[in-house]
Amino acid sequence: MPPDWSNVRADFPILHQNVGRHPLVYLDNGATSQKPRQVIQSLVNYYERDNSNVHRGLHALSMRATDAYEGARGRLAKFINAADPAEIIFTRGTTESINVIARSWAHAHLKPGDVVLTTEIEHHSNLVPWQQAAQASGATLKYVPLLGADGEGGLDLAALDTLLTPQVKLFAFTHMSNTLGTINPVAEFCRRAKAVGAVTVIDAAQSIGHVPLDVRAIDCDFLAFSGHKMCGPTGIGVLYGRRALLEKLAPDETGGGMVVSVTYEGATWKPAPERFEAGTPNVADAIALGVACDYLDSLGREKIAAHDTQLVNLAMEKLSALPGIRIIGPRVGQPRSGLVSFAFEGVHAHDVVTFADQDGVALRGGHHCNQPLMRKLGLTSTTRASFYLYNTPEEIDRLVASLQKIQKFFAG
Ligand code: PLP
């Protein structure tokens, strides 16, 4: 039985408001998701009852906070089927998680002549850190090309045969594109990377709260995601790392909490995950992220994925019927994640978003942190509608009605 999605909406207090004269239609979930009251309540409970510093305290509050923080780590491990909670490092989000690997792993392993492979569709957060790592080490950065004038062909899987050579030391790729909606075959990428001895890094920012995700089935080495895109708070995210790799890795940040012993001459490190969590961690948000996992699993991630697909298919059908709209990414009927980006003939994306806002419809317009991809597609910006578990078919009608109004206005 699918969940009753109208009950789900009741869990999100923020959705029940007007923007101007119109009820809010929130279609900017690719940027950040809204939070259910269960997650909000967890933050209130923590600060009202348990707030204390973790790991170093012997009093009741500190022990409660430590138990809840470490409990959240275990919950996150279960959420992605990691073998061990020690493989879960709490970070600020996807960007920080990728930077940790780019600084610590890349610093220790990359040398001139090596290749770092990524793709033409990456968010800046999974691109700029690799540019920096390649520049610092003398390695070369290469890209798996995107196929099709509108990016409709997905990544060129045949090109992987020539790109994935033994010189490739690391292959970093997104699970779902934040602009195109493309879904990459991540398990296949990992299998092919492993065959040449390359370490794999998956950017799961857009997929984590939307589809079931199993790091052992995918067989990746590292996986990065943000809490705020999966009904959790901002400022918290995860770097999953295979334990055998984490154990050999030096920390990228040092300070309190991550050391075993310090003398005036030097220091020794704790094992993972503490070795990678210097300073006071983000306790409240980590605990609330565990609650977000409970929330998503209570609905069922397969069901959330099916709901996303139903909405995005409907949106694709209706948007493709509008004149002057160029949809990028997979074509109608092809698999895509729960978002759709389009260019509006003769109207800048910022104008589309501003006008839609006057109808209470929240969209995103711009380059979506995908500047090289935009250039490749010959665009400066697109408008993006991104759906999640609380969105409804009626909200897609509101989106379409607003776009039709904008079209009329600009047609003069
Ligand atoms: N990767 C992808 C695919 C994203 O969509 C985003 C955010 O939009 C990020 C990385 C960066 O996430 P954060 O800003 O939460 O670190």
Side-chain angles (χ1 to χ4, degrees):
M1 273 275 287
D4 180 345
W5 297 108
S6 55
N7 283 349
V8 169
R9 263 185 98 75
D11 287 334
F12 291 81
I14 202 168
L15 297 177
H16 307 279
Q17 63 174 294
N18 278 5
V19 170
R21 286 176 296 112
H22 305 280
L24 167 66
V25 173
Y26 184 78
L27 301 180
D28 194 16
N29 297 285
T32 200
S33 68
Q34 298 303 346
K35 323 302 171 198
R37 58 176 89 248
Q38 292 84 337
V39 168
I40 299 167
Q41 195 55 47
S42 154
L43 293 167
V44 173
N45 290 349
Y46 176 77
Y47 285 119
E48 286 189 353
R49 294 198 317 235
D50 300 331
N51 177 46
S52 187
N53 212 329
V54 289
H55 295 147
R56 288 166 292 234
L58 292 175
H59 57 82
L61 263 56
S62 176
M63 286 189 275
R64 280 211 306 260
T66 303
D67 284 350
Y69 180 66
E70 290 306 324
R73 196 190 303 284
R75 183 66 188 89
L76 267 296
K78 206 168 141 219
F79 194 69
I80 58 169
N81 198 30
D84 188 335
E87 297 180 318
I88 301 295
I89 297 162
F90 283 119
T91 63
R92 281 188 291 126
T94 312
T95 305
E96 185 175 52
S97 297
I98 293 170
N99 272 280
V100 170
I101 319 163
R103 289 192 301 251
S104 58
W105 188 93
H107 180 76
H109 291 86
L110 291 180
K111 54 182 191 324
D114 288 345
V115 172
V116 173
L117 186 61
T118 183
T119 85
E120 286 186 342
I121 67 173
E122 299 308 316
H123 186 282
H124 296 165
S125 291
N126 198 28
L127 199 166
V128 182
W130 305 121
Q131 289 176 338
Q132 296 292 305
Q135 278 163 22
S137 62
T140 306
L141 187 57
K142 291 191 179 173
Y143 297 91
V144 183
L146 173 69
L147 296 174
D150 293 329
E152 70 277 15
L155 292 174
D156 185 351
L157 299 187
L160 268 186
D161 290 333
T162 39
L163 284 168
L164 268 178
T165 63
Q167 280 70 46
V168 178
K169 294 293 175 274
L170 182 140
F171 182 20
F173 46 88
T174 191
H175 189 181
M176 290 178 174
S177 158
N178 59 305
T179 296
L180 298 167
T182 308
I183 306 170
N184 282 327
V186 284
E188 180 186 341
F189 283 6
C190 290
R191 183 177 51 74
R192 292 173 71 173
K194 215 174 179 180
V196 297
V199 159
T200 47
V201 179
I202 302 182
D203 173 351
Q206 289 294 332
S207 57
I208 185 71
H210 293 262
V211 289
L213 216 155
D214 179 334
V215 287
R216 278 189 278 176
I218 295 170
D219 203 16
C220 56
D221 293 309
F222 295 106
L223 181 119
F225 60 90
S226 306
H228 68 94
K229 293 186 200 280
M230 53 174 284
C231 294
T234 49
I236 189 77
V238 165
L239 169 60
Y240 158 82
R242 203 192 282 280
R243 187 152 192 187
L245 285 173
L246 291 183
E247 267 165 10
K248 285 189 259 161
L249 218 54
D252 71 310
E253 237 183 39
T254 52
M258 49 76 70
V259 287
V260 176
S261 147
V262 182
T263 64
Y264 285 122
E265 286 73 38
T268 54
W269 319 136
K270 281 186 181 162
E274 286 96 333
R275 185 190 306 177
F276 299 98
E277 293 181 4
T280 299
N282 185 351
V283 184
D285 292 325
I287 296 167
L289 182 55
V291 175
C293 294
D294 291 343
Y295 184 79
L296 295 174
D297 279 345
S298 74
L299 299 172
R301 277 177 277 166
E302 281 99 353
K303 288 172 185 159
I304 294 171
H307 183 71
D308 279 353
T309 302
Q310 191 203 345
L311 290 176
V312 83
N313 286 346
L314 186 66
M316 285 289 290
E317 194 189 304
K318 296 200 170 192
L319 293 180
S320 344
L322 295 180
I325 281 196
R326 171 185 166 196
I327 295 178
I328 61 166
R331 298 284 189 224
V332 176
Q334 290 178 342
R336 68 154 60 226
S337 69
L339 62 85
V340 51
S341 285
F342 52 91
F344 213 124
E345 202 181 303
V347 191
H348 192 279
H350 287 169
D351 289 332
V352 179
V353 174
T354 306
F355 273 73
D357 184 53
Q358 288 171 12
D359 291 329
V361 180
L363 300 170
R364 180 140 300 238
H367 54 62
H368 313 290
C369 294
N370 272 137
Q371 287 181 17
L373 171 62
M374 286 291 145
R375 263 180 231 115
K376 183 176 167 95
L377 297 174
L379 296 165
T380 51
S381 61
T382 65
T383 304
R384 181 182 73 188
S386 47
F387 309 106
Y388 207 10
L389 43 89
Y390 33 70
N391 291 125
T392 64
E394 294 71 39
E395 290 184 313
I396 292 175
D397 291 337
R398 290 267 312 276
L399 164 69
V400 171
S402 184
L403 294 178
Q404 282 168 328
K405 256 171 73 183
I406 297 168
Q407 243 162 0
K408 252 195 210 144
F409 180 88
F410 281 93

PDB file of all heavy atoms in Angstrom, residues 391-406:
ATOM      1  N   ASN A 391       4.839  16.669  -2.544  1.00  0.00           N
ATOM      2  CA  ASN A 391       4.249  17.359  -3.695  1.00  0.00           C
ATOM      3  C   ASN A 391       3.100  16.540  -4.284  1.00  0.00           C
ATOM      4  O   ASN A 391       3.021  15.332  -4.084  1.00  0.00           O
ATOM      5  CB  ASN A 391       5.315  17.636  -4.763  1.00  0.00           C
ATOM      6  CG  ASN A 391       6.302  18.688  -4.294  1.00  0.00           C
ATOM      7  OD1 ASN A 391       7.508  18.457  -4.280  1.00  0.00           O
ATOM      8  ND2 ASN A 391       5.799  19.835  -3.887  1.00  0.00           N
ATOM      9  N   THR A 392       2.210  17.269  -4.993  1.00  0.00           N
ATOM     10  CA  THR A 392       0.982  16.629  -5.490  1.00  0.00           C
ATOM     11  C   THR A 392       0.795  16.934  -6.992  1.00  0.00           C
ATOM     12  O   THR A 392       1.345  17.921  -7.489  1.00  0.00           O
ATOM     13  CB  THR A 392      -0.248  17.188  -4.746  1.00  0.00           C
ATOM     14  OG1 THR A 392      -0.351  18.593  -5.072  1.00  0.00           O
ATOM     15  CG2 THR A 392      -0.145  17.024  -3.238  1.00  0.00           C
ATOM     16  N   PRO A 393      -0.010  16.135  -7.688  1.00  0.00           N
ATOM     17  CA  PRO A 393      -0.317  16.442  -9.093  1.00  0.00           C
ATOM     18  C   PRO A 393      -0.965  17.821  -9.247  1.00  0.00           C
ATOM     19  O   PRO A 393      -0.716  18.529 -10.232  1.00  0.00           O
ATOM     20  CB  PRO A 393      -1.299  15.335  -9.491  1.00  0.00           C
ATOM     21  CG  PRO A 393      -1.002  14.208  -8.554  1.00  0.00           C
ATOM     22  CD  PRO A 393      -0.576  14.848  -7.267  1.00  0.00           C
ATOM     23  N   GLU A 394      -1.764  18.230  -8.263  1.00  0.00           N
ATOM     24  CA  GLU A 394      -2.408  19.560  -8.349  1.00  0.00           C
ATOM     25  C   GLU A 394      -1.343  20.657  -8.364  1.00  0.00           C
ATOM     26  O   GLU A 394      -1.514  21.709  -8.982  1.00  0.00           O
ATOM     27  CB  GLU A 394      -3.353  19.791  -7.152  1.00  0.00           C
ATOM     28  CG  GLU A 394      -4.580  18.877  -7.105  1.00  0.00           C
ATOM     29  CD  GLU A 394      -4.230  17.429  -6.747  1.00  0.00           C
ATOM     30  OE1 GLU A 394      -3.350  17.208  -5.884  1.00  0.00           O
ATOM     31  OE2 GLU A 394      -4.824  16.504  -7.349  1.00  0.00           O
ATOM     32  N   GLU A 395      -0.236  20.426  -7.675  1.00  0.00           N
ATOM     33  CA  GLU A 395       0.811  21.443  -7.658  1.00  0.00           C
ATOM     34  C   GLU A 395       1.483  21.553  -9.034  1.00  0.00           C
ATOM     35  O   GLU A 395       1.948  22.626  -9.420  1.00  0.00           O
ATOM     36  CB  GLU A 395       1.844  21.118  -6.574  1.00  0.00           C
ATOM     37  CG  GLU A 395       1.267  21.313  -5.175  1.00  0.00           C
ATOM     38  CD  GLU A 395       2.300  21.085  -4.080  1.00  0.00           C
ATOM     39  OE1 GLU A 395       3.025  20.071  -4.149  1.00  0.00           O
ATOM     40  OE2 GLU A 395       2.373  21.908  -3.157  1.00  0.00           O
ATOM     41  N   ILE A 396       1.512  20.450  -9.772  1.00  0.00           N
ATOM     42  CA  ILE A 396       2.061  20.516 -11.131  1.00  0.00           C
ATOM     43  C   ILE A 396       1.118  21.339 -12.017  1.00  0.00           C
ATOM     44  O   ILE A 396       1.565  22.127 -12.847  1.00  0.00           O
ATOM     45  CB  ILE A 396       2.302  19.095 -11.685  1.00  0.00           C
ATOM     46  CG1 ILE A 396       3.451  18.473 -10.879  1.00  0.00           C
ATOM     47  CG2 ILE A 396       2.645  19.128 -13.175  1.00  0.00           C
ATOM     48  CD1 ILE A 396       3.770  17.052 -11.178  1.00  0.00           C
ATOM     49  N   ASP A 397      -0.173  21.214 -11.785  1.00  0.00           N
ATOM     50  CA  ASP A 397      -1.125  22.062 -12.523  1.00  0.00           C
ATOM     51  C   ASP A 397      -0.878  23.531 -12.214  1.00  0.00           C
ATOM     52  O   ASP A 397      -0.945  24.378 -13.103  1.00  0.00           O
ATOM     53  CB  ASP A 397      -2.572  21.687 -12.161  1.00  0.00           C
ATOM     54  CG  ASP A 397      -2.951  20.310 -12.699  1.00  0.00           C
ATOM     55  OD1 ASP A 397      -2.297  19.863 -13.672  1.00  0.00           O
ATOM     56  OD2 ASP A 397      -3.873  19.678 -12.144  1.00  0.00           O
ATOM     57  N   ARG A 398      -0.593  23.831 -10.942  1.00  0.00           N
ATOM     58  CA  ARG A 398      -0.310  25.235 -10.564  1.00  0.00           C
ATOM     59  C   ARG A 398       0.965  25.726 -11.277  1.00  0.00           C
ATOM     60  O   ARG A 398       1.045  26.865 -11.730  1.00  0.00           O
ATOM     61  CB  ARG A 398      -0.119  25.342  -9.040  1.00  0.00           C
ATOM     62  CG  ARG A 398      -1.386  25.134  -8.198  1.00  0.00           C
ATOM     63  CD  ARG A 398      -2.110  26.438  -7.864  1.00  0.00           C
ATOM     64  NE  ARG A 398      -1.236  27.481  -7.357  1.00  0.00           N
ATOM     65  CZ  ARG A 398      -0.843  27.634  -6.087  1.00  0.00           C
ATOM     66  NH1 ARG A 398      -1.275  26.798  -5.163  1.00  0.00           N
ATOM     67  NH2 ARG A 398      -0.055  28.641  -5.734  1.00  0.00           N
ATOM     68  N   LEU A 399       1.965  24.850 -11.360  1.00  0.00           N
ATOM     69  CA  LEU A 399       3.205  25.208 -12.057  1.00  0.00           C
ATOM     70  C   LEU A 399       2.915  25.504 -13.528  1.00  0.00           C
ATOM     71  O   LEU A 399       3.336  26.547 -14.055  1.00  0.00           O
ATOM     72  CB  LEU A 399       4.208  24.035 -11.939  1.00  0.00           C
ATOM     73  CG  LEU A 399       5.400  24.053 -12.904  1.00  0.00           C
ATOM     74  CD1 LEU A 399       6.360  25.191 -12.555  1.00  0.00           C
ATOM     75  CD2 LEU A 399       6.167  22.718 -12.880  1.00  0.00           C
ATOM     76  N   VAL A 400       2.177  24.617 -14.160  1.00  0.00           N
ATOM     77  CA  VAL A 400       1.900  24.773 -15.595  1.00  0.00           C
ATOM     78  C   VAL A 400       1.083  26.046 -15.831  1.00  0.00           C
ATOM     79  O   VAL A 400       1.377  26.828 -16.746  1.00  0.00           O
ATOM     80  CB  VAL A 400       1.175  23.515 -16.138  1.00  0.00           C
ATOM     81  CG1 VAL A 400       0.681  23.735 -17.560  1.00  0.00           C
ATOM     82  CG2 VAL A 400       2.114  22.310 -16.075  1.00  0.00           C
ATOM     83  N   ALA A 401       0.088  26.291 -14.993  1.00  0.00           N
ATOM     84  CA  ALA A 401      -0.742  27.493 -15.155  1.00  0.00           C
ATOM     85  C   ALA A 401       0.126  28.739 -15.033  1.00  0.00           C
ATOM     86  O   ALA A 401      -0.033  29.707 -15.800  1.00  0.00           O
ATOM     87  CB  ALA A 401      -1.853  27.504 -14.108  1.00  0.00           C
ATOM     88  N   SER A 402       1.067  28.729 -14.098  1.00  0.00           N
ATOM     89  CA  SER A 402       1.931  29.885 -13.902  1.00  0.00           C
ATOM     90  C   SER A 402       2.834  30.075 -15.124  1.00  0.00           C
ATOM     91  O   SER A 402       3.011  31.201 -15.610  1.00  0.00           O
ATOM     92  CB  SER A 402       2.753  29.688 -12.622  1.00  0.00           C
ATOM     93  OG  SER A 402       3.523  30.828 -12.381  1.00  0.00           O
ATOM     94  N   LEU A 403       3.370  28.983 -15.650  1.00  0.00           N
ATOM     95  CA  LEU A 403       4.243  29.086 -16.829  1.00  0.00           C
ATOM     96  C   LEU A 403       3.459  29.605 -18.034  1.00  0.00           C
ATOM     97  O   LEU A 403       3.973  30.394 -18.834  1.00  0.00           O
ATOM     98  CB  LEU A 403       4.873  27.723 -17.148  1.00  0.00           C
ATOM     99  CG  LEU A 403       5.854  27.168 -16.107  1.00  0.00           C
ATOM    100  CD1 LEU A 403       6.362  25.792 -16.512  1.00  0.00           C
ATOM    101  CD2 LEU A 403       7.040  28.114 -15.889  1.00  0.00           C
ATOM    102  N   GLN A 404       2.214  29.186 -18.160  1.00  0.00           N
ATOM    103  CA  GLN A 404       1.398  29.671 -19.278  1.00  0.00           C
ATOM    104  C   GLN A 404       1.171  31.183 -19.182  1.00  0.00           C
ATOM    105  O   GLN A 404       1.231  31.901 -20.162  1.00  0.00           O
ATOM    106  CB  GLN A 404       0.050  28.931 -19.311  1.00  0.00           C
ATOM    107  CG  GLN A 404       0.194  27.542 -19.912  1.00  0.00           C
ATOM    108  CD  GLN A 404      -1.040  26.684 -19.710  1.00  0.00           C
ATOM    109  OE1 GLN A 404      -1.740  26.817 -18.690  1.00  0.00           O
ATOM    110  NE2 GLN A 404      -1.305  25.795 -20.658  1.00  0.00           N
ATOM    111  N   LYS A 405       0.968  31.652 -17.935  1.00  0.00           N
ATOM    112  CA  LYS A 405       0.788  33.098 -17.713  1.00  0.00           C
ATOM    113  C   LYS A 405       2.049  33.849 -18.118  1.00  0.00           C
ATOM    114  O   LYS A 405       1.994  34.905 -18.754  1.00  0.00           O
ATOM    115  CB  LYS A 405       0.528  33.341 -16.216  1.00  0.00           C
ATOM    116  CG  LYS A 405      -0.918  33.634 -15.909  1.00  0.00           C
ATOM    117  CD  LYS A 405      -1.189  33.656 -14.428  1.00  0.00           C
ATOM    118  CE  LYS A 405      -0.658  34.869 -13.692  1.00  0.00           C
ATOM    119  NZ  LYS A 405      -0.912  34.769 -12.235  1.00  0.00           N
ATOM    120  N   ILE A 406       3.201  33.288 -17.717  1.00  0.00           N
ATOM    121  CA  ILE A 406       4.487  33.936 -18.017  1.00  0.00           C
ATOM    122  C   ILE A 406       4.661  33.998 -19.542  1.00  0.00           C
ATOM    123  O   ILE A 406       5.063  35.029 -20.093  1.00  0.00           O
ATOM    124  CB  ILE A 406       5.644  33.164 -17.357  1.00  0.00           C
ATOM    125  CG1 ILE A 406       5.498  33.195 -15.833  1.00  0.00           C
ATOM    126  CG2 ILE A 406       6.995  33.716 -17.775  1.00  0.00           C
ATOM    127  CD1 ILE A 406       6.412  32.228 -15.075  1.00  0.00           C
TER     128      ILE A 406
END
